[in-house]
Amino acid sequence: MIQAFLFYALAMILVGSVGMTISSRDPIRSSLFLLLAIFNVSGLLVLLGAKVIAVTLIFVTSFTIAVLFLCGVLMLDINAIQIHRAFKQHFWLASIIGLSFVAELLIFSIVLLVFDVSETAIVLKKTSNISILSSALYAHYFYIAQVFGFILLTSVIGFVILTARKTDLNKKDQDQSKPQQFMVPVRSARSNEIEPC
Amino acid sequence: MLEITLTHYLTLSAIIFLLGGVGIYFKIKSVIHFLICIQLMMLAAIINLAAFSCFSEDYAGKVFAFFIITVVAAEAAIGLAILVALFRKKGSTTIDDLKLTKD
């Protein structure tokens, strides 16, 4: 009963947030809804008894979402003034959504405290979860784990190669392609001309 | 209905996978949307593997869900690196500018 309630609640929020993720035009908003979807998926994984994977999923993908969010902010030239105006416009809607998140957190924590969910969840009870996972990783699937480590190493090297550039080029590009909207006119002390700072 | 079986989890993961595919097919504006939709499909795969490993009481599914998380991290890193290189080259991140790889 409790498991069914938790499953349906998490699944409904998950499908809704996935729909909002793919339907919103703003990349920042869709990445934030992706973050909500990831938290709900980790809740489903806890229901399934895979707690280690749930924690790992939150750690790894929240980092990824943070980087995506930063890239969205940096690349899509969104002004700080626009963000401030949007904050004023959508303040009540945002506060309702935030309060619903807090209410959901409280409801789930109360349910988890009052009822014993570990009996309803289907868990392999004989050994602990992390010992199963670590023995599987380092005994049965050792070579596959090494291969995935090489994949991560390759991705790091590829990231550095794709994004690295020389410092001279960097300075020149920064001087040339400084966007107009971030310039603030400042009257300098020497002359009366308006200079970008 | 109140008994949660394997079918529920499989249906949920199929819905999420389909929504990710629909997002890739219809709603592409920028490369960031593309990466986000790929992440949704990976999430669906993680739910699928964890559900099978739980209901068939086999730990192999959990191990492979763990591997999928590493693939998600690697894919996001490479995608963002490509995005940064594209933005330096073209100045925007829309999907039409990916045509420069053809030239």
Side-chain angles (χ1 to χ4, degrees), chain B residues 51-81:
Chain B
F52 267 115
S53 84
C54 177
F55 283 95
S56 63
E57 298 191 351
D58 189 5
Y59 54 83
K62 287 174 188 171
V63 177
F64 279 91
F66 204 77
F67 289 153
I68 282 181
I69 293 174
T70 63
V71 170
V72 167
E75 169 258 331
I78 291 294
L80 284 174

Side-chain angles (χ1 to χ4, degrees), chain B residues 18-37:
Chain B
L18 272 179
L19 283 176
V22 165
I24 284 181
Y25 194 75
F26 286 112
K27 283 291 291 184
I28 280 186
K29 292 287 180 191
S30 65
V31 189
I32 296 179
H33 277 289
F34 191 77
L35 290 176
I36 286 171
C37 290

Side-chain angles (χ1 to χ4, degrees), chain A residues 1 3-4 7-8 11 14-15 18-19 21-27 30-31 34 37-38 41 44-45 47-50 53 56-57 60-61 64-65 67-68 71-72 75-76 122 124 129 132-133 136-137 140-141 144-145 148 151-152 154-155 158-159 162-165, chain B residues 1-4 8-9 12 15-16 19-20 22-23 27 29-30 32-33 35-37 39-40 43 46-47 50-51 53-55 57-78 80-85 87-88 91-93:
Chain A
M1 181 65 193
Q3 196 197 1
F7 173 78
Y8 283 118
L14 176 58
V15 173
V18 167
T21 303
I22 67 167
S23 66
S24 66
R25 289 174 180 272
D26 193 7
S30 63
S31 62
L34 177 63
I38 283 166
V41 166
L44 284 176
L45 289 178
L47 270 187
L48 281 170
I53 298 173
T56 316
L57 185 69
V60 173
T61 48
T64 309
I65 297 303
V67 176
L68 273 177
C71 273
M75 290 186 175
L76 297 173
I122 307 138
L124 296 173
N129 210 338
I132 291 176
L133 196 63
L137 261 181
H140 293 267
Y141 297 100
I144 304 178
F148 276 90
I151 287 174
L152 279 178
T154 316
S155 78
F159 188 88
L162 279 171
T163 56
R165 55 184 355 196
Chain B
M1 188 71 184
L2 286 178
E3 181 90 12
I4 300 299
H8 290 77
Y9 284 100
L12 181 67
I15 289 171
I16 295 168
L19 283 176
V22 165
K27 283 291 291 184
K29 292 287 180 191
S30 65
I32 296 179
H33 277 289
L35 290 176
I36 286 171
C37 290
Q39 284 219 342
L40 284 179
L43 280 184
I46 288 171
I47 293 176
S53 84
C54 177
F55 283 95
E57 298 191 351
D58 189 5
Y59 54 83
K62 287 174 188 171
V63 177
F64 279 91
F66 204 77
F67 289 153
I68 282 181
I69 293 174
T70 63
V71 170
V72 167
E75 169 258 331
I78 291 294
L80 284 174
I82 293 173
L83 197 64
V84 169
F87 185 74
R88 276 179 187 162
S92 70
T93 59

Side-chain angles (χ1 to χ4, degrees), chain A residues 3-15 40 44 47 104 107-108:
Chain A
Q3 196 197 1
F5 168 69
L6 287 176
F7 173 78
Y8 283 118
L10 286 174
M12 276 192 288
I13 300 170
L14 176 58
V15 173
N40 282 306
L44 284 176
L47 270 187
E104 180 192 358
I107 287 170
F108 278 114

